[in-house]
Amino acid sequence: MKIHNFSPGPSILPQSVFEKAAQGVLDLNGSGLSILEVSHRGKDFIAIHEQAKQLVKELLQVPDTYHILFLAGGASSQFFMTPLNCLPQDGRAAYVDTGSWSSKAIKEAKRYGQVDVIASSKADGYKYIPKSFTVPSEAAYLHLTSNNTIYGTQFHQFPQCDIPIVCDMSSDIFSRPVDINRFGIIYAGAQKNMGPAGVTLVIIREDMLGKANRDIPSMLDYKVHIEGDSMYNTPPVFPIYVSMLTLDWLKDQGGVKSIEEINQQKAKVLYDEIDRNPLFIGVAAPEDRSLMNVTFLLKDQALEKPFLEMCKQIGCDGVKGHRSVGGFRASIYNAMPLEGVEALVGAMQQFEKQMG
Ligand SMILES: *Cc1c(COP(=O)(O)O)cnc(C)c1O
């Protein structure tokens, strides 16, 4: 039976990527060596790294004023690296709190300077994206989480402001076109929509650097990683390789504009069923619904177990909701085909019939 993987992360990747990655482990490009044993300074990996950077540039149309880094430590390390590098000791930064990942970013930033939480939807269980707030123009940057993986909300428009936006795009990078010029820094852990766990993409504009007037450990210093071209120390070779293969797959799909259309179509099929099916109800405010993580509940909680059992029987894996929201969450990242979403919708319809 075909298993459809709705896991929030690490998450689904294209089958063709698994096959190429497996081949690379056995014999990289006919070199007789495995990707797992080659030097990160050898010609094979240098070519892979260059291609990965090139694909990022091409897919997101990144201008030359930006640097592209592949770092270790997860998106969570960016929670402190961004303020450490970009928030001056006597400065302030503005944060919007749209969920637990935002709150974690806020907690870390407070170690380095003044943090103004200018908007939050916490009191309402993070069910919506705050919209009417003023961004202080004296702040060093505005930090946003573009897609809230746990609650299933997403910024469909980024706020207008005249300071750079620092954005955690871990769970929706490469799912839609974005205007890079609005952002000073974009960061994303690979394991939601770009590749396997173990590497974090950081896209950083030159003018964000050198403003923090503090002593920064080398491994945490963006400038050091830029000067070393992500090779100040040994980079996560295999995760970079698999991310490159995934981005190459995305390019074959027609790039981010084409995948956005497919993502919209997939999300619509699922949200339409949630809205139609009398047993279910959506979690997120309709105008802020995420195209990546679809959160929903059964009106009768007692039915959760039997529904999860049916999902399992039908081959839909990883639909259990996050413990802080409950219910269900279907993560339908780029690599999830429409047929996977249709299988889940089929389970919801079959469940309705059984209960009726
Ligand atoms: C998963 C996730 C993170 C944490 O990523 P790690 O790589 O595990 O540190 C941060 N932000 C968002 C939006 C996420 O979805």
Side-chain angles (χ1 to χ4, degrees):
M1 177 176 61
K2 166 89 189 132
I3 305 290
H4 303 285
N5 182 11
F6 291 93
S7 171
S11 41
I12 187 170
L13 290 173
Q15 185 63 31
S16 63
V17 168
F18 293 141
E19 282 157 19
K20 285 180 187 163
Q23 184 53 44
V25 168
L26 296 172
D27 179 4
L28 182 62
N29 305 329
S31 64
L33 294 170
S34 167
I35 179 68
L36 301 180
E37 63 181 344
V38 296
S39 165
H40 59 293
R41 302 195 190 280
K43 70 169 177 20
D44 285 313
F45 184 69
I46 286 177
I48 288 164
H49 180 223
E50 283 307 317
Q51 199 178 342
K53 281 192 294 185
Q54 192 48 43
L55 283 162
V56 172
K57 259 190 112 145
E58 216 177 301
L59 289 165
L60 294 180
Q61 298 185 19
V62 182
D64 287 337
T65 43
Y66 289 75
H67 303 280
I68 295 167
L69 298 174
F70 294 100
L71 304 179
S76 301
S77 292
Q78 297 309 309
F79 295 165
F80 60 83
M81 267 180 86
T82 47
L84 181 64
N85 283 266
C86 307
L87 173 56
Q89 263 156 33
D90 53 355
R92 55 210 293 181
Y95 278 67
V96 177
D97 178 18
T98 51
S100 25
W101 296 118
S102 309
S103 327
K104 285 182 174 160
I106 290 165
K107 177 180 165 208
E108 299 305 321
K110 283 182 174 164
R111 300 174 196 279
Y112 302 103
Q114 190 182 323
V115 172
D116 299 328
V117 179
I118 57 168
S120 171
S121 49
K122 186 173 183 178
D124 282 306
Y126 293 122
K127 287 193 178 77
Y128 70 96
I129 298 285
K131 284 167 205 83
S132 46
F133 50 82
T134 336
V135 182
S137 54
E138 69 278 16
Y141 60 81
L142 167 67
H143 183 281
L144 304 174
T145 311
S146 57
N147 183 71
N148 299 281
T149 325
I150 294 175
Y151 310 91
T153 62
Q154 187 174 24
F155 277 90
H156 293 299
Q157 250 153 4
F158 292 102
Q160 286 301 330
C161 60
D162 46 19
I163 58 172
I165 300 176
V166 171
C167 194
D168 176 0
M169 290 196 189
S170 292
S171 51
D172 67 353
I173 193 150
F174 300 113
S175 69
R176 57 176 173 177
V178 286
D179 176 7
I180 294 289
N181 294 297
R182 307 274 321 271
F183 301 92
I185 300 180
I186 291 170
Y187 62 87
Q191 71 274 19
K192 310 279 167 58
N193 209 21
M194 185 179 102
V199 67
T200 302
L201 171 67
V202 180
I203 304 172
I204 177 163
R205 200 169 59 209
E206 181 65 31
D207 68 348
M208 296 299 289
L209 301 163
K211 294 195 170 148
N213 60 344
R214 65 165 69 81
D215 188 37
I216 302 174
S218 306
M219 274 298 285
L220 306 183
D221 190 340
Y222 287 133
K223 273 186 164 167
V224 169
H225 288 292
I226 289 166
E227 276 156 27
D229 194 12
S230 300
M231 303 224 192
Y232 170 71
N233 73 319
T234 315
V237 169
F238 187 63
I240 293 174
Y241 176 56
V242 183
S243 298
M244 182 278 282
L245 295 174
T246 309
L247 295 178
D248 198 37
W249 168 86
L250 180 54
K251 187 180 167 185
D252 280 348
Q253 307 302 301
V256 289
K257 188 75 203 123
S258 307
I259 209 81
E260 180 188 40
E261 282 162 27
I262 300 168
N263 287 335
Q264 282 169 344
Q265 188 193 1
K266 276 155 37 187
K268 182 169 174 5
V269 167
L270 189 45
Y271 284 120
D272 281 353
E273 177 60 18
I274 291 168
D275 293 340
R276 184 210 62 81
N277 194 315
L279 298 182
F280 295 93
I281 183 165
V283 172
E287 70 276 16
D288 300 324
R289 284 173 163 179
S290 166
L291 299 192
M292 297 281 98
N293 309 96
V294 178
T295 48
F296 55 105
L297 306 168
L298 267 160
K299 288 175 189 159
D300 180 359
Q301 266 197 12
L303 300 180
E304 277 186 15
K305 258 206 175 132
F307 179 64
L308 280 173
E309 190 48 46
M310 169 169 288
C311 288
K312 201 174 156 194
Q313 276 168 17
I314 237 164
C316 293
D317 192 78
V319 246
K320 195 169 169 20
H322 188 273
R323 59 194 177 280
S324 60
V325 179
F328 315 97
R329 169 175 52 173
S331 298
I332 51 174
Y333 299 118
N334 286 349
M336 170 63 67
L338 180 61
E339 58 158 322
V341 175
E342 283 168 345
L344 180 58
V345 166
M348 293 165 77
Q349 291 174 349
Q350 196 179 323
F351 196 65
E352 181 193 5
K353 278 203 196 96
Q354 261 182 30
M355 294 300 133

